[in-house]
Amino acid sequence: MSTAASAKNGTWRNWGGNVAARPAREVTPASVDELAVAVRKAAEDGLKVKAVGTGHSFTSIAATDGVLIRPQLLTGIRDIDRDAMTVTVEAGTPLKRLNVALAREGLSLTNMGDIMEQTVSGATSTGTHGTGRESGSIAAQIKGLELVTADGSVLSCSEKENPEVFAAARIGLGALGVVTALTFAVEPIFLLTAREEPMSFDKVTSAFDELWAENEHFEFYWFPHTGSTNTKRNNRSAGPEKPVPQIQGWIEDEFLSNGVFQVAQWVGRAAPGTIPSIARISSKALSARTYTDIPYKVFTSPRRVRFVEMEYAVPREAVVETLRELRTMVERSGLKVSFPVEVRTAPADDITLSTASGRDSAYIAVHMVKGTPYQAYFTAAERIFTAHEGRPHWGKVHTRDAEYFAGVYPRFGEFTALRDRLDPDRRFQNDYLRRVLGA
């Protein structure tokens, strides 16, 4: 089964299986010119336009009944500038291909998320991020971008060229146009040492500020119904390279993290009463380990168990209180939660609708395995997140609307004014954007 979204009988579905759409037509342009023609043709036919990557968003951000643009022919590296230390890459390039190609050139992104199946434009347009004390989301590493706007013209954007578009379009939600190329800051490839170890929930929450301050990249997973977490600290290393041995890696990353975990999810789905016991076993299955490797092999890991996810960014200083409230809610609710809760951080950035825009942020992600009812859990979690002025990830399940966002994003009006200018006829509109940005 491919990790990408699927299209059968003209119906497009996302990776999580919770969103479906029937576009009037699909276009796979082989050049920026062909894409611009497709946008102009859609306008002539009175159709909306949406570009879709691998469908890893759990929201209907890419769904359309108009023209669905698939960017898989717009892939590959256009240019590497070693003086400026940038790489310019076509929008449909999967992060995996970019990471491998950069490593061959002795280069790397500074930070990345925990999976690399998505296209570069899909990942950045929704604000995909990893964890970092000083280094932000993938979009925060963008130095320039190229955008086809509603009238079919091609805009180049950077801090110097169309800076107001650049400020917004790095995380543009597909609302400002179709991104055709991205220029990322890169650096010479380096080594990271990962230290993974179990830690109690009480210890990790009481020492959170120190753990954050002492590590370049800190994250942890808490297993609901237990007092256990798994922590991961990634820090730069002088070496030597010491990757996870192949067989050990297969046992830990494939057999335990994907295979056994999948079976545990199936058992939990069939018999929800067993979930707390399974959680206690799962939380003890992964033992401490340390390894040193190139960045993408440390930051990312395979995710084969399909799930649905909600993630909110809260102010970093509110994360411990928010987590404790989440734990209390799970304990009192009678909910059975089989998937760990993921906690990461990002520094403040200057992107208009970034979840870390203007404030140091911490992310709390809740998941449910694909096919299980998630509404009660997500609704209760969302109530806690929004009480802390949380900002939901644009590509993950949430129920917020434009009125809410105008309250938690100081620059919200700046984004909608730019959209009015670039897309006055709402060529790139869909139901999701109507809800989150207003009509």
Side-chain angles (χ1 to χ4, degrees):
M1 178 73 193
S2 127
T3 51
S6 59
K8 282 186 187 139
N9 333 317
T11 300
W12 171 84
R13 284 185 200 286
N14 68 337
W15 180 86
N18 65 317
V19 177
R22 288 187 72 88
R25 63 173 179 254
E26 287 194 18
V27 181
T28 310
S31 68
V32 177
D33 289 343
E34 281 183 24
L35 196 154
V37 168
V39 171
R40 285 195 288 266
K41 175 93 171 66
E44 285 163 24
D45 298 342
L47 294 171
K48 304 291 189 193
V49 177
K50 288 267 57 115
V52 66
T54 53
H56 268 75
S57 288
F58 301 99
T59 59
S60 53
I61 191 165
T64 187
D65 56 5
V67 178
L68 191 69
I69 293 185
R70 292 198 174 260
Q72 61 254 43
L73 299 180
L74 297 173
T75 61
I77 290 178
R78 275 192 197 178
D79 177 58
I80 294 174
D81 183 337
R82 289 186 186 268
D83 294 327
M85 285 306 277
T86 60
V87 58
T88 300
V89 61
E90 304 275 347
T93 309
L95 281 166
K96 188 173 196 168
R97 273 185 61 188
L98 173 62
N99 284 328
V100 171
L102 285 176
R104 267 205 309 268
E105 297 286 340
L107 299 168
S108 175
L109 293 171
T110 299
N111 198 357
M112 55 194 88
D114 54 11
I115 64 166
M116 52 178 182
E117 310 302 331
Q118 317 100 308
T119 60
V120 290
S121 59
T124 54
S125 293
T126 54
T128 298
H129 60 89
T131 190
R133 185 183 59 203
E134 281 109 23
S135 51
S137 68
I138 306 177
Q141 298 167 69
I142 295 173
K143 290 293 179 199
L145 61 90
E146 182 183 82
L147 189 69
V148 172
T149 56
D151 61 3
S153 57
V154 181
L155 274 191
S156 292
C157 310
S158 65
E159 282 177 0
K160 293 192 178 77
E161 210 176 351
N162 298 304
E164 72 297 345
V165 180
F166 180 67
R170 282 173 285 168
I171 300 179
L173 319 185
L176 305 174
V178 179
V179 174
T180 49
L182 292 161
T183 299
F184 292 102
V186 290
E187 57 177 303
I189 201 160
F190 52 95
L191 292 174
L192 282 172
T193 293
R195 181 174 153 205
E196 298 174 10
E197 64 175 339
M199 196 179 283
S200 75
F201 180 93
D202 292 335
K203 185 175 176 190
V204 82
T205 48
S206 58
F208 182 79
D209 287 341
E210 290 131 74
L211 289 162
W212 169 82
E214 287 165 6
N215 296 284
E216 289 171 73
H217 309 274
F218 175 70
E219 64 188 301
F220 68 93
Y221 295 87
W222 164 57
F223 295 82
H225 313 296
T226 79
S228 307
T229 78
N230 250 340
T231 63
K232 185 174 180 181
R233 296 166 233 208
N234 298 332
N235 290 290
R236 291 189 186 222
S237 163
E241 215 166 300
K242 191 171 167 263
V244 178
Q246 210 168 354
I247 290 177
Q248 182 192 344
W250 181 84
I251 290 170
E252 291 170 345
D253 296 326
E254 287 295 347
F255 181 66
L256 290 175
S257 296
N258 285 298
V260 172
F261 188 59
Q262 176 74 75
V263 173
Q265 297 300 319
W266 287 331
V267 172
R269 242 175 99 174
T274 62
I275 285 173
S277 308
I278 291 171
R280 285 190 288 277
I281 296 163
S282 297
S283 70
K284 294 184 170 55
L286 294 169
S287 51
R289 64 177 184 174
T290 303
Y291 52 95
T292 302
D293 214 329
I294 59 173
Y296 81 84
K297 294 185 178 179
V298 173
F299 284 129
T300 68
S301 49
R303 290 270 190 283
R304 311 217 192 278
V305 180
R306 303 249 168 167
F307 54 81
V308 178
E309 180 178 0
M310 168 183 279
E311 180 184 66
Y312 266 75
V314 297
R316 203 188 66 234
E317 61 274 14
V319 66
V320 170
E321 189 187 339
T322 310
L323 268 172
R324 286 175 178 152
E325 288 170 18
L326 188 70
R327 179 167 77 162
T328 302
M329 179 275 288
V330 170
E331 282 169 358
R332 289 180 183 165
S333 64
L335 289 166
K336 299 287 184 278
V337 180
S338 61
F339 233 96
V341 172
E342 184 179 21
V343 181
R344 295 175 289 174
T345 68
D349 64 39
D350 63 350
I351 304 171
T352 318
L353 289 188
S354 162
T355 44
S357 184
R359 74 182 190 195
D360 290 345
S361 300
Y363 296 93
I364 302 175
V366 296
H367 312 68
M368 279 294 220
V369 73
K370 180 183 171 181
T372 47
Y374 59 83
Q375 282 83 355
Y377 176 36
F378 284 14
T379 300
E382 191 172 39
R383 208 170 287 135
I384 293 167
F385 300 149
T386 53
H388 293 280
E389 296 195 344
R391 298 168 177 171
H393 188 300
W394 296 107
K396 297 175 186 178
V397 176
H398 68 89
T399 65
R400 302 296 90 190
D401 59 14
E403 188 185 356
Y404 178 83
F405 291 124
V408 294
Y409 282 102
R411 297 167 66 189
F412 187 74
E414 194 183 310
F415 189 96
T416 53
L418 181 66
R419 179 191 186 214
D420 289 342
R421 194 185 101 203
L422 291 178
D423 187 16
D425 301 329
R426 300 291 185 262
R427 185 66 44 220
F428 303 111
Q429 174 97 288
N430 63 4
D431 290 343
Y432 179 77
L433 292 182
R434 192 177 291 113
R435 185 183 103 209
V436 301
L437 297 176

